[in-house]
């Protein structure tokens, strides 16, 4: 797929030169790494790990995310696992937006937490991200759980804090903005969360009743992302022009509802592509695990066979204590913090339906049938 923005980046000639790139951690801490504009994303991950003294065998558990904050407060985020870092440089230095490149853990199976926590730097990174997810409302806590978490923070018990966090609802999930689905009926408002190898739906039915359910990625036979141009809601005509239309994105997946019944479920959301990226990364992780492989990344050796270590390294700072929970806040809310709105950078009114091609149809190698024991 080539969106208009991505095509612009590919044709943009960015000279190879040294740049200092600020990387944000989940606790708001910034570190600066010196890189070349021609470097690959993996090179930047290496540099960040070197700066933090994160062991090379843990780098595969983390990824870079581009956060973009527009002048009206809108936020866009995209994860990049591979590719030339010039994409980030172009966005970071030349777009008319505030942009942040962030370093977060990027796996779905929480069993990998144990590998990360065995290292002091990995523990600090995972702890900081868990605190951040709780504060932004992605992990749900009640008053008693909040009291226990804060007590563990005060004691400096990071591992115990994470272990308690693992028991909480939506730990390890990404929560998307409210959108629309056709399940269980057309026009339902839904909040979608991705995690634990599933898409979780919290649906508001037309009769105002709330329902919750999950769709396992292993029961999705395939999925696709489509785009179309539609008139703006406040438009006066039924035809689109560059200034009077917007891109409508949909994620649809074919789901095995029962042993012999497949059904398409559609989500209409500007974050549909990011949802698809999440599904694909879940499948990739499942297939690696099924084949007996590991998500650990073995770095290619540089600088005459050795890993270059910077003269100065930074420690991961502990985030502040959790704020008191707001008892009046609904558990399901539209998040407005910098990292809350996850969608693909580069989707704008200039895109056309042709930007989403047949390549955005995803067959699922992790698809499993339903046996009699599952019914």
């Amino acid at each position: 797929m080539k969106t208009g923005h991505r095509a612009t980046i590919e044709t943009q000639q960015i000279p190879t030169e040294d740049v200092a790139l600020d990387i944000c951690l989940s606790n708001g801490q910034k570190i600066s790494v010196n890189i070349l504009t021609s470097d690959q994303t993996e090179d930047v991950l290496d540099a960040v790990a070197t700066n933090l003294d994160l062991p090379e065998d843990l780098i595969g558990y983390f990824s870079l995310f581009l956060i973009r904050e527009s002048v009206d407060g809108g936020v866009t985020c995209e994860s990049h696992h591979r590719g030339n870092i010039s994409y980030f440089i172009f966005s970071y230095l030349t777009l008319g937006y505030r942009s942040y490149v962030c370093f977060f853990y990027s796996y779905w199976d929480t069993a990998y937490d144990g590998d990360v926590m065995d290292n002091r730097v990995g523990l600090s990174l995972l702890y900081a991200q868990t605190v951040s997810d709780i504060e932004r409302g992605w992990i749900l806590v009640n008053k008693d759980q909040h009291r226990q978490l804060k007590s563990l923070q005060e004691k400096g018990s990071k591992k115990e804090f994470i272990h308690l966090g693992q028991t909480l609802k939506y730990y390890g999930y990404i929560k998307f903005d409210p959108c629309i689905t056709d399940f269980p009926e057309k026009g339902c408002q839904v909040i979608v969360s991705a995690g634990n190898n599933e898409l979780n739906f919290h649906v508001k039915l037309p009769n105002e009743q709330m329902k919750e359910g999950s769709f396992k990625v292993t029961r999705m036979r395939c999925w696709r992302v489509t785009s179309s141009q539609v008139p703006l809601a406040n438009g006066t005509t039924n035809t689109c022009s560059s200034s009077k239309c917007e891109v409508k994105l949909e994620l649809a997946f074919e789901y095995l509802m029962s042993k012999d019944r497949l059904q398409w479920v559609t989500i209409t959301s500007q974050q549909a592509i990011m949802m698809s990226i999440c599904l694909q990364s879940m499948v990739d992780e499942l297939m690696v695990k099924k084949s007996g492989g590991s998500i650990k990344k073995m770095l290619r050796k540089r600088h005459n066979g050795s890993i270059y270590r910077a003269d100065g390294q930074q420690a991961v700072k502990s985030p502040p204590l959790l704020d008191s929970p707001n008892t009046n806040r609904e558990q399901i809310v539209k998040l407005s913090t910098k990292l809350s709105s996850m969608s693909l950078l580069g989707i704008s009114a200039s895109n056309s339906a042709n930007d989403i091609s047949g390549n955005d149809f995803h067959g699922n190698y992790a698809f499993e049938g339903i046996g009699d024991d599952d019914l």
Side-chain angles (χ1 to χ4, degrees):
M1 178 191 69
K2 292 185 180 180
T3 64
H5 179 67
R6 190 177 300 275
T8 300
I9 291 170
E10 290 177 352
T11 58
Q12 182 77 16
Q13 296 299 316
I14 300 177
T16 298
E17 57 186 31
D18 291 310
V19 294
L21 186 65
D22 288 335
I23 307 292
C24 294
L25 305 183
S26 56
N27 60 2
Q29 179 182 349
K30 287 186 179 181
I31 61 175
S32 182
V33 294
N34 295 316
I35 61 170
L36 293 173
T37 52
S38 59
D39 280 344
Q40 299 295 302
T41 304
E42 286 81 357
D43 297 320
V44 181
L45 287 170
D46 298 352
V48 174
T50 296
N51 191 296
L52 295 173
D53 199 25
L54 182 71
E56 60 185 88
D57 63 344
L58 291 184
I59 298 178
Y61 295 99
F62 295 86
S63 291
L64 295 178
F65 293 77
L66 178 62
I67 307 294
R68 189 183 71 184
E69 183 180 11
S70 62
V71 292
D72 61 359
V75 179
T76 310
C77 175
E78 180 183 2
S79 74
H80 254 227
H81 298 275
R82 298 184 181 89
N84 195 287
I85 197 61
S86 62
Y87 178 82
F88 285 113
I89 301 299
F90 179 87
S91 304
Y92 185 72
L93 298 178
T94 66
L95 287 178
Y97 300 90
R98 296 179 64 194
S99 297
Y100 311 86
V101 181
C102 298
F103 183 74
F104 301 146
Y105 80 82
S106 59
Y107 53 86
W108 299 102
D109 188 346
T110 58
Y112 291 123
D113 284 352
D115 296 340
V116 176
M117 288 192 293
D118 283 342
N119 173 263
R120 62 173 181 81
V121 178
L123 173 61
S124 294
L125 289 168
L126 184 57
Y127 168 72
Q129 192 163 340
T130 304
V131 172
S132 177
D133 287 350
I134 292 172
E135 289 181 333
R136 76 171 70 119
W138 285 12
I139 298 175
L140 300 184
V141 298
N142 58 35
K143 284 185 177 180
D144 183 59
Q145 292 165 340
H146 189 279
R147 178 186 56 78
Q148 296 178 59
L149 289 166
K150 192 166 185 177
S151 175
L152 291 171
Q153 275 191 303
E154 291 170 343
K155 296 175 183 177
S157 303
K158 294 180 181 179
K159 279 191 177 182
E160 290 76 8
F161 184 97
I162 294 170
H163 287 317
L164 178 55
Q166 290 171 331
T167 68
L168 303 178
K169 190 167 187 178
Y170 299 126
Y171 176 84
Y173 282 69
I174 290 176
K175 185 177 288 185
F176 299 95
D177 283 344
C179 52
I180 302 297
T181 183
D182 64 356
F183 186 88
E185 52 187 290
K186 289 185 177 180
C188 289
Q189 298 180 33
V190 62
I191 291 181
V192 179
S193 298
N196 194 29
N197 296 322
E198 67 181 20
L199 290 183
N200 176 273
F201 276 31
H202 199 100
V203 181
K204 184 177 181 180
L205 301 176
N207 63 4
E208 303 298 315
Q209 186 179 7
M210 302 300 294
K211 293 286 187 180
E212 183 176 359
S214 295
F215 296 93
K216 294 290 186 182
V217 70
T218 51
R219 292 192 181 183
M220 296 179 187
R221 192 179 71 88
C222 58
W223 69 88
R224 64 175 179 242
V225 177
T226 58
S227 71
S228 59
Q229 289 190 331
V230 296
L232 292 172
N234 58 356
T236 57
T237 66
N238 292 325
T239 59
C240 281
S241 66
S242 60
S243 60
K244 294 183 179 180
C245 67
E246 60 184 350
V247 173
K248 175 184 176 182
L249 292 175
E250 290 185 339
L251 169 71
F253 55 88
E254 192 175 23
Y255 195 77
L256 190 61
M257 296 290 182
S258 60
K259 191 172 183 179
D260 299 310
R261 185 169 71 92
L262 286 161
Q263 178 178 336
W264 282 96
V265 177
T266 301
I267 303 167
T268 303
S269 169
Q270 290 306 105
Q271 300 167 289
I273 298 177
M274 189 63 191
M275 293 179 188
S276 176
I277 291 172
C278 289
L279 291 176
Q280 187 61 57
S281 61
M282 288 178 190
V283 171
D284 291 344
E285 191 173 298
L286 283 170
M287 296 308 295
V288 168
K289 192 172 183 179
K290 187 175 182 180
S291 67
S294 170
I295 66 171
K296 291 183 179 181
K297 174 188 175 184
M298 298 305 295
L299 292 180
R300 61 184 179 278
K301 301 300 181 180
R302 298 192 307 250
H303 302 285
N304 297 322
S306 62
I307 300 298
Y308 173 72
R309 292 290 173 182
D311 293 333
Q313 294 175 333
Q314 296 188 39
V316 180
K317 298 176 181 178
S318 290
L321 296 178
L322 291 170
D323 292 329
S324 298
N326 184 351
T327 56
N328 296 320
R329 188 181 74 173
E330 295 181 4
Q331 286 189 333
I332 304 298
V333 296
K334 182 174 181 179
L335 305 175
S336 59
T337 57
K338 285 184 179 179
L339 306 182
S340 63
S341 181
M342 308 285 285
S343 58
L344 185 71
L345 180 63
I347 298 299
S348 66
S350 63
N351 295 118
S352 68
N354 292 331
D355 288 331
I356 308 297
S357 66
N359 292 331
D360 287 277
F361 184 92
H362 300 261
N364 184 2
Y365 290 103
F367 177 69
E368 299 174 354
I370 298 179
D372 294 335
D373 294 339
D374 298 314
L375 302 177

